[in-house]
Amino acid sequence: MNGLTVTPTQLVAGFGVLLVLFWVWRASARRAKAAAEKARSGARLVSLAGRVVFNAALIVAVQWVVIAHQGGTWVLLAVLGLPALFAAHALTRALTVTTIDTSKRGGRR
């Protein structure tokens, strides 16, 4: 023959090495995916915080202009009340717990 001989022990050891390499590759891929998802969620949080601060500053600026220039009573109520209504609506939706109970048994809806 060609003089190349592989013992069963060497074959099992080679298969074990390949299995360990595959396992390490999968673990590093999962770790990289988790790190990328964490970075994306952090960027989303910063983006959301920036938009909230900008909108709050805009609302405060409009309210300050109306209050400083002594607008009428109805204008003052509208400028102070309308943002309060939006904030109350957002807080109520955020703090309301809703559940959707679905059952997979029997195929019924």
PDB file of all heavy atoms in Angstrom, residues 45-76:
ATOM      1  N   LEU A  45     -30.939  52.802  23.170  1.00  0.00           N
ATOM      2  CA  LEU A  45     -31.245  53.507  24.407  1.00  0.00           C
ATOM      3  C   LEU A  45     -30.731  54.933  24.361  1.00  0.00           C
ATOM      4  O   LEU A  45     -31.430  55.869  24.738  1.00  0.00           O
ATOM      5  CB  LEU A  45     -30.649  52.757  25.597  1.00  0.00           C
ATOM      6  CG  LEU A  45     -30.888  53.378  26.962  1.00  0.00           C
ATOM      7  CD1 LEU A  45     -32.380  53.398  27.268  1.00  0.00           C
ATOM      8  CD2 LEU A  45     -30.137  52.602  28.025  1.00  0.00           C
ATOM      9  N   VAL A  46     -29.512  55.126  23.865  1.00  0.00           N
ATOM     10  CA  VAL A  46     -28.944  56.471  23.761  1.00  0.00           C
ATOM     11  C   VAL A  46     -29.744  57.302  22.774  1.00  0.00           C
ATOM     12  O   VAL A  46     -30.036  58.468  23.012  1.00  0.00           O
ATOM     13  CB  VAL A  46     -27.456  56.393  23.356  1.00  0.00           C
ATOM     14  CG1 VAL A  46     -26.909  57.768  23.027  1.00  0.00           C
ATOM     15  CG2 VAL A  46     -26.654  55.755  24.467  1.00  0.00           C
ATOM     16  N   SER A  47     -30.141  56.702  21.662  1.00  0.00           N
ATOM     17  CA  SER A  47     -30.931  57.404  20.664  1.00  0.00           C
ATOM     18  C   SER A  47     -32.284  57.820  21.241  1.00  0.00           C
ATOM     19  O   SER A  47     -32.739  58.938  21.034  1.00  0.00           O
ATOM     20  CB  SER A  47     -31.133  56.513  19.442  1.00  0.00           C
ATOM     21  OG  SER A  47     -31.983  57.133  18.525  1.00  0.00           O
ATOM     22  N   LEU A  48     -32.916  56.911  21.974  1.00  0.00           N
ATOM     23  CA  LEU A  48     -34.206  57.220  22.594  1.00  0.00           C
ATOM     24  C   LEU A  48     -34.041  58.326  23.629  1.00  0.00           C
ATOM     25  O   LEU A  48     -34.852  59.264  23.665  1.00  0.00           O
ATOM     26  CB  LEU A  48     -34.788  55.965  23.246  1.00  0.00           C
ATOM     27  CG  LEU A  48     -36.106  56.156  23.989  1.00  0.00           C
ATOM     28  CD1 LEU A  48     -37.201  56.597  23.026  1.00  0.00           C
ATOM     29  CD2 LEU A  48     -36.492  54.890  24.700  1.00  0.00           C
ATOM     30  N   ALA A  49     -33.000  58.253  24.438  1.00  0.00           N
ATOM     31  CA  ALA A  49     -32.776  59.279  25.456  1.00  0.00           C
ATOM     32  C   ALA A  49     -32.541  60.638  24.808  1.00  0.00           C
ATOM     33  O   ALA A  49     -33.049  61.659  25.276  1.00  0.00           O
ATOM     34  CB  ALA A  49     -31.590  58.901  26.332  1.00  0.00           C
ATOM     35  N   GLY A  50     -31.793  60.681  23.717  1.00  0.00           N
ATOM     36  CA  GLY A  50     -31.557  61.936  23.011  1.00  0.00           C
ATOM     37  C   GLY A  50     -32.837  62.539  22.460  1.00  0.00           C
ATOM     38  O   GLY A  50     -33.056  63.749  22.560  1.00  0.00           O
ATOM     39  N   ARG A  51     -33.694  61.690  21.887  1.00  0.00           N
ATOM     40  CA  ARG A  51     -34.965  62.200  21.356  1.00  0.00           C
ATOM     41  C   ARG A  51     -35.866  62.703  22.470  1.00  0.00           C
ATOM     42  O   ARG A  51     -36.544  63.719  22.322  1.00  0.00           O
ATOM     43  CB  ARG A  51     -35.671  61.112  20.554  1.00  0.00           C
ATOM     44  CG  ARG A  51     -35.008  60.883  19.205  1.00  0.00           C
ATOM     45  CD  ARG A  51     -35.740  59.851  18.416  1.00  0.00           C
ATOM     46  NE  ARG A  51     -35.410  58.549  19.016  1.00  0.00           N
ATOM     47  CZ  ARG A  51     -35.889  57.400  18.611  1.00  0.00           C
ATOM     48  NH1 ARG A  51     -36.740  57.351  17.628  1.00  0.00           N
ATOM     49  NH2 ARG A  51     -35.530  56.276  19.191  1.00  0.00           N
ATOM     50  N   VAL A  52     -35.877  61.998  23.607  1.00  0.00           N
ATOM     51  CA  VAL A  52     -36.710  62.430  24.736  1.00  0.00           C
ATOM     52  C   VAL A  52     -36.225  63.782  25.256  1.00  0.00           C
ATOM     53  O   VAL A  52     -37.040  64.692  25.498  1.00  0.00           O
ATOM     54  CB  VAL A  52     -36.691  61.365  25.857  1.00  0.00           C
ATOM     55  CG1 VAL A  52     -37.257  61.913  27.151  1.00  0.00           C
ATOM     56  CG2 VAL A  52     -37.463  60.139  25.419  1.00  0.00           C
ATOM     57  N   VAL A  53     -34.921  63.942  25.415  1.00  0.00           N
ATOM     58  CA  VAL A  53     -34.377  65.212  25.914  1.00  0.00           C
ATOM     59  C   VAL A  53     -34.663  66.344  24.928  1.00  0.00           C
ATOM     60  O   VAL A  53     -35.049  67.455  25.329  1.00  0.00           O
ATOM     61  CB  VAL A  53     -32.868  65.078  26.192  1.00  0.00           C
ATOM     62  CG1 VAL A  53     -32.223  66.422  26.430  1.00  0.00           C
ATOM     63  CG2 VAL A  53     -32.636  64.156  27.373  1.00  0.00           C
ATOM     64  N   PHE A  54     -34.515  66.087  23.632  1.00  0.00           N
ATOM     65  CA  PHE A  54     -34.783  67.119  22.637  1.00  0.00           C
ATOM     66  C   PHE A  54     -36.251  67.539  22.662  1.00  0.00           C
ATOM     67  O   PHE A  54     -36.560  68.744  22.657  1.00  0.00           O
ATOM     68  CB  PHE A  54     -34.420  66.617  21.233  1.00  0.00           C
ATOM     69  CG  PHE A  54     -34.777  67.586  20.154  1.00  0.00           C
ATOM     70  CD1 PHE A  54     -34.003  68.702  19.925  1.00  0.00           C
ATOM     71  CD2 PHE A  54     -35.915  67.393  19.374  1.00  0.00           C
ATOM     72  CE1 PHE A  54     -34.336  69.618  18.936  1.00  0.00           C
ATOM     73  CE2 PHE A  54     -36.259  68.295  18.386  1.00  0.00           C
ATOM     74  CZ  PHE A  54     -35.469  69.415  18.165  1.00  0.00           C
ATOM     75  N   ASN A  55     -37.159  66.573  22.703  1.00  0.00           N
ATOM     76  CA  ASN A  55     -38.585  66.911  22.722  1.00  0.00           C
ATOM     77  C   ASN A  55     -38.971  67.633  24.009  1.00  0.00           C
ATOM     78  O   ASN A  55     -39.791  68.554  23.984  1.00  0.00           O
ATOM     79  CB  ASN A  55     -39.430  65.652  22.543  1.00  0.00           C
ATOM     80  CG  ASN A  55     -39.415  65.165  21.118  1.00  0.00           C
ATOM     81  OD1 ASN A  55     -39.238  65.943  20.189  1.00  0.00           O
ATOM     82  ND2 ASN A  55     -39.574  63.864  20.938  1.00  0.00           N
ATOM     83  N   ALA A  56     -38.392  67.214  25.127  1.00  0.00           N
ATOM     84  CA  ALA A  56     -38.680  67.905  26.391  1.00  0.00           C
ATOM     85  C   ALA A  56     -38.186  69.348  26.340  1.00  0.00           C
ATOM     86  O   ALA A  56     -38.875  70.275  26.784  1.00  0.00           O
ATOM     87  CB  ALA A  56     -38.026  67.163  27.550  1.00  0.00           C
ATOM     88  N   ALA A  57     -37.006  69.559  25.780  1.00  0.00           N
ATOM     89  CA  ALA A  57     -36.478  70.925  25.656  1.00  0.00           C
ATOM     90  C   ALA A  57     -37.356  71.768  24.746  1.00  0.00           C
ATOM     91  O   ALA A  57     -37.597  72.954  25.016  1.00  0.00           O
ATOM     92  CB  ALA A  57     -35.048  70.881  25.129  1.00  0.00           C
ATOM     93  N   LEU A  58     -37.850  71.181  23.680  1.00  0.00           N
ATOM     94  CA  LEU A  58     -38.743  71.899  22.770  1.00  0.00           C
ATOM     95  C   LEU A  58     -40.043  72.306  23.462  1.00  0.00           C
ATOM     96  O   LEU A  58     -40.504  73.451  23.334  1.00  0.00           O
ATOM     97  CB  LEU A  58     -39.043  71.025  21.549  1.00  0.00           C
ATOM     98  CG  LEU A  58     -39.845  71.659  20.430  1.00  0.00           C
ATOM     99  CD1 LEU A  58     -39.057  72.799  19.798  1.00  0.00           C
ATOM    100  CD2 LEU A  58     -40.179  70.606  19.388  1.00  0.00           C
ATOM    101  N   ILE A  59     -40.618  71.397  24.222  1.00  0.00           N
ATOM    102  CA  ILE A  59     -41.852  71.704  24.947  1.00  0.00           C
ATOM    103  C   ILE A  59     -41.609  72.784  25.982  1.00  0.00           C
ATOM    104  O   ILE A  59     -42.395  73.735  26.119  1.00  0.00           O
ATOM    105  CB  ILE A  59     -42.417  70.420  25.600  1.00  0.00           C
ATOM    106  CG1 ILE A  59     -42.941  69.479  24.519  1.00  0.00           C
ATOM    107  CG2 ILE A  59     -43.518  70.749  26.602  1.00  0.00           C
ATOM    108  CD1 ILE A  59     -43.284  68.099  25.024  1.00  0.00           C
ATOM    109  N   VAL A  60     -40.508  72.687  26.715  1.00  0.00           N
ATOM    110  CA  VAL A  60     -40.192  73.699  27.733  1.00  0.00           C
ATOM    111  C   VAL A  60     -39.965  75.058  27.084  1.00  0.00           C
ATOM    112  O   VAL A  60     -40.411  76.093  27.613  1.00  0.00           O
ATOM    113  CB  VAL A  60     -38.954  73.260  28.559  1.00  0.00           C
ATOM    114  CG1 VAL A  60     -38.419  74.403  29.392  1.00  0.00           C
ATOM    115  CG2 VAL A  60     -39.316  72.087  29.442  1.00  0.00           C
ATOM    116  N   ALA A  61     -39.319  75.092  25.935  1.00  0.00           N
ATOM    117  CA  ALA A  61     -39.081  76.370  25.249  1.00  0.00           C
ATOM    118  C   ALA A  61     -40.389  77.027  24.831  1.00  0.00           C
ATOM    119  O   ALA A  61     -40.584  78.236  25.034  1.00  0.00           O
ATOM    120  CB  ALA A  61     -38.194  76.149  24.028  1.00  0.00           C
ATOM    121  N   VAL A  62     -41.310  76.249  24.278  1.00  0.00           N
ATOM    122  CA  VAL A  62     -42.611  76.814  23.878  1.00  0.00           C
ATOM    123  C   VAL A  62     -43.373  77.299  25.100  1.00  0.00           C
ATOM    124  O   VAL A  62     -43.966  78.392  25.100  1.00  0.00           O
ATOM    125  CB  VAL A  62     -43.432  75.778  23.074  1.00  0.00           C
ATOM    126  CG1 VAL A  62     -44.859  76.245  22.871  1.00  0.00           C
ATOM    127  CG2 VAL A  62     -42.756  75.495  21.741  1.00  0.00           C
ATOM    128  N   GLN A  63     -43.359  76.506  26.176  1.00  0.00           N
ATOM    129  CA  GLN A  63     -44.048  76.923  27.392  1.00  0.00           C
ATOM    130  C   GLN A  63     -43.426  78.191  27.963  1.00  0.00           C
ATOM    131  O   GLN A  63     -44.139  79.097  28.414  1.00  0.00           O
ATOM    132  CB  GLN A  63     -44.005  75.797  28.435  1.00  0.00           C
ATOM    133  CG  GLN A  63     -44.875  74.625  28.084  1.00  0.00           C
ATOM    134  CD  GLN A  63     -44.719  73.487  29.068  1.00  0.00           C
ATOM    135  OE1 GLN A  63     -43.725  73.393  29.790  1.00  0.00           O
ATOM    136  NE2 GLN A  63     -45.712  72.611  29.106  1.00  0.00           N
ATOM    137  N   TRP A  64     -42.112  78.292  27.948  1.00  0.00           N
ATOM    138  CA  TRP A  64     -41.443  79.470  28.478  1.00  0.00           C
ATOM    139  C   TRP A  64     -41.815  80.713  27.674  1.00  0.00           C
ATOM    140  O   TRP A  64     -42.053  81.784  28.235  1.00  0.00           O
ATOM    141  CB  TRP A  64     -39.932  79.253  28.458  1.00  0.00           C
ATOM    142  CG  TRP A  64     -39.169  80.422  28.973  1.00  0.00           C
ATOM    143  CD1 TRP A  64     -38.984  80.771  30.269  1.00  0.00           C
ATOM    144  CD2 TRP A  64     -38.526  81.412  28.190  1.00  0.00           C
ATOM    145  NE1 TRP A  64     -38.240  81.923  30.348  1.00  0.00           N
ATOM    146  CE2 TRP A  64     -37.951  82.338  29.079  1.00  0.00           C
ATOM    147  CE3 TRP A  64     -38.367  81.627  26.821  1.00  0.00           C
ATOM    148  CZ2 TRP A  64     -37.240  83.443  28.657  1.00  0.00           C
ATOM    149  CZ3 TRP A  64     -37.654  82.719  26.407  1.00  0.00           C
ATOM    150  CH2 TRP A  64     -37.102  83.623  27.313  1.00  0.00           C
ATOM    151  N   VAL A  65     -41.872  80.588  26.345  1.00  0.00           N
ATOM    152  CA  VAL A  65     -42.233  81.733  25.497  1.00  0.00           C
ATOM    153  C   VAL A  65     -43.642  82.204  25.816  1.00  0.00           C
ATOM    154  O   VAL A  65     -43.898  83.407  25.964  1.00  0.00           O
ATOM    155  CB  VAL A  65     -42.084  81.371  23.997  1.00  0.00           C
ATOM    156  CG1 VAL A  65     -42.760  82.414  23.112  1.00  0.00           C
ATOM    157  CG2 VAL A  65     -40.626  81.219  23.630  1.00  0.00           C
ATOM    158  N   VAL A  66     -44.588  81.277  25.942  1.00  0.00           N
ATOM    159  CA  VAL A  66     -45.981  81.662  26.217  1.00  0.00           C
ATOM    160  C   VAL A  66     -46.102  82.296  27.599  1.00  0.00           C
ATOM    161  O   VAL A  66     -46.784  83.307  27.780  1.00  0.00           O
ATOM    162  CB  VAL A  66     -46.919  80.443  26.082  1.00  0.00           C
ATOM    163  CG1 VAL A  66     -48.305  80.751  26.616  1.00  0.00           C
ATOM    164  CG2 VAL A  66     -46.997  80.008  24.630  1.00  0.00           C
ATOM    165  N   ILE A  67     -45.442  81.727  28.588  1.00  0.00           N
ATOM    166  CA  ILE A  67     -45.532  82.270  29.941  1.00  0.00           C
ATOM    167  C   ILE A  67     -44.826  83.621  30.035  1.00  0.00           C
ATOM    168  O   ILE A  67     -45.328  84.558  30.664  1.00  0.00           O
ATOM    169  CB  ILE A  67     -44.949  81.273  30.971  1.00  0.00           C
ATOM    170  CG1 ILE A  67     -45.852  80.044  31.063  1.00  0.00           C
ATOM    171  CG2 ILE A  67     -44.785  81.905  32.346  1.00  0.00           C
ATOM    172  CD1 ILE A  67     -45.266  78.903  31.857  1.00  0.00           C
ATOM    173  N   ALA A  68     -43.674  83.760  29.386  1.00  0.00           N
ATOM    174  CA  ALA A  68     -42.903  85.002  29.466  1.00  0.00           C
ATOM    175  C   ALA A  68     -43.613  86.153  28.759  1.00  0.00           C
ATOM    176  O   ALA A  68     -43.481  87.304  29.171  1.00  0.00           O
ATOM    177  CB  ALA A  68     -41.513  84.791  28.866  1.00  0.00           C
ATOM    178  N   HIS A  69     -44.353  85.862  27.709  1.00  0.00           N
ATOM    179  CA  HIS A  69     -45.012  86.930  26.960  1.00  0.00           C
ATOM    180  C   HIS A  69     -46.463  87.119  27.361  1.00  0.00           C
ATOM    181  O   HIS A  69     -47.232  87.766  26.639  1.00  0.00           O
ATOM    182  CB  HIS A  69     -44.903  86.661  25.454  1.00  0.00           C
ATOM    183  CG  HIS A  69     -43.499  86.793  24.949  1.00  0.00           C
ATOM    184  ND1 HIS A  69     -42.840  87.997  24.930  1.00  0.00           N
ATOM    185  CD2 HIS A  69     -42.626  85.884  24.478  1.00  0.00           C
ATOM    186  CE1 HIS A  69     -41.625  87.824  24.459  1.00  0.00           C
ATOM    187  NE2 HIS A  69     -41.461  86.531  24.175  1.00  0.00           N
ATOM    188  N   GLN A  70     -46.832  86.574  28.487  1.00  0.00           N
ATOM    189  CA  GLN A  70     -48.163  86.764  29.058  1.00  0.00           C
ATOM    190  C   GLN A  70     -49.274  86.505  28.045  1.00  0.00           C
ATOM    191  O   GLN A  70     -50.087  87.374  27.749  1.00  0.00           O
ATOM    192  CB  GLN A  70     -48.299  88.173  29.649  1.00  0.00           C
ATOM    193  CG  GLN A  70     -47.398  88.465  30.823  1.00  0.00           C
ATOM    194  CD  GLN A  70     -47.704  87.592  32.030  1.00  0.00           C
ATOM    195  OE1 GLN A  70     -48.852  87.246  32.280  1.00  0.00           O
ATOM    196  NE2 GLN A  70     -46.668  87.213  32.753  1.00  0.00           N
ATOM    197  N   GLY A  71     -49.295  85.279  27.528  1.00  0.00           N
ATOM    198  CA  GLY A  71     -50.383  84.901  26.622  1.00  0.00           C
ATOM    199  C   GLY A  71     -51.687  84.841  27.399  1.00  0.00           C
ATOM    200  O   GLY A  71     -51.716  84.915  28.624  1.00  0.00           O
ATOM    201  N   GLY A  72     -52.782  84.703  26.689  1.00  0.00           N
ATOM    202  CA  GLY A  72     -54.083  84.624  27.345  1.00  0.00           C
ATOM    203  C   GLY A  72     -54.205  83.371  28.194  1.00  0.00           C
ATOM    204  O   GLY A  72     -53.379  82.461  28.141  1.00  0.00           O
ATOM    205  N   THR A  73     -55.260  83.323  29.001  1.00  0.00           N
ATOM    206  CA  THR A  73     -55.480  82.190  29.896  1.00  0.00           C
ATOM    207  C   THR A  73     -55.648  80.894  29.114  1.00  0.00           C
ATOM    208  O   THR A  73     -55.117  79.855  29.489  1.00  0.00           O
ATOM    209  CB  THR A  73     -56.719  82.451  30.770  1.00  0.00           C
ATOM    210  OG1 THR A  73     -56.538  83.686  31.465  1.00  0.00           O
ATOM    211  CG2 THR A  73     -56.915  81.342  31.775  1.00  0.00           C
ATOM    212  N   TRP A  74     -56.419  80.959  28.029  1.00  0.00           N
ATOM    213  CA  TRP A  74     -56.662  79.741  27.238  1.00  0.00           C
ATOM    214  C   TRP A  74     -55.385  79.258  26.543  1.00  0.00           C
ATOM    215  O   TRP A  74     -55.139  78.057  26.446  1.00  0.00           O
ATOM    216  CB  TRP A  74     -57.765  79.975  26.205  1.00  0.00           C
ATOM    217  CG  TRP A  74     -59.107  80.107  26.890  1.00  0.00           C
ATOM    218  CD1 TRP A  74     -59.832  81.245  27.029  1.00  0.00           C
ATOM    219  CD2 TRP A  74     -59.821  79.072  27.562  1.00  0.00           C
ATOM    220  NE1 TRP A  74     -60.972  80.994  27.735  1.00  0.00           N
ATOM    221  CE2 TRP A  74     -60.996  79.655  28.077  1.00  0.00           C
ATOM    222  CE3 TRP A  74     -59.593  77.733  27.792  1.00  0.00           C
ATOM    223  CZ2 TRP A  74     -61.941  78.925  28.794  1.00  0.00           C
ATOM    224  CZ3 TRP A  74     -60.544  77.006  28.497  1.00  0.00           C
ATOM    225  CH2 TRP A  74     -61.695  77.604  28.989  1.00  0.00           C
ATOM    226  N   VAL A  75     -54.576  80.196  26.088  1.00  0.00           N
ATOM    227  CA  VAL A  75     -53.308  79.808  25.464  1.00  0.00           C
ATOM    228  C   VAL A  75     -52.399  79.168  26.505  1.00  0.00           C
ATOM    229  O   VAL A  75     -51.743  78.147  26.241  1.00  0.00           O
ATOM    230  CB  VAL A  75     -52.624  81.032  24.815  1.00  0.00           C
ATOM    231  CG1 VAL A  75     -51.255  80.670  24.275  1.00  0.00           C
ATOM    232  CG2 VAL A  75     -53.500  81.629  23.738  1.00  0.00           C
ATOM    233  N   LEU A  76     -52.363  79.742  27.700  1.00  0.00           N
ATOM    234  CA  LEU A  76     -51.550  79.187  28.782  1.00  0.00           C
ATOM    235  C   LEU A  76     -52.021  77.779  29.159  1.00  0.00           C
ATOM    236  O   LEU A  76     -51.204  76.869  29.323  1.00  0.00           O
ATOM    237  CB  LEU A  76     -51.608  80.108  30.001  1.00  0.00           C
ATOM    238  CG  LEU A  76     -50.713  79.736  31.190  1.00  0.00           C
ATOM    239  CD1 LEU A  76     -49.248  79.775  30.771  1.00  0.00           C
ATOM    240  CD2 LEU A  76     -50.966  80.658  32.346  1.00  0.00           C
TER     241      LEU A  76
END
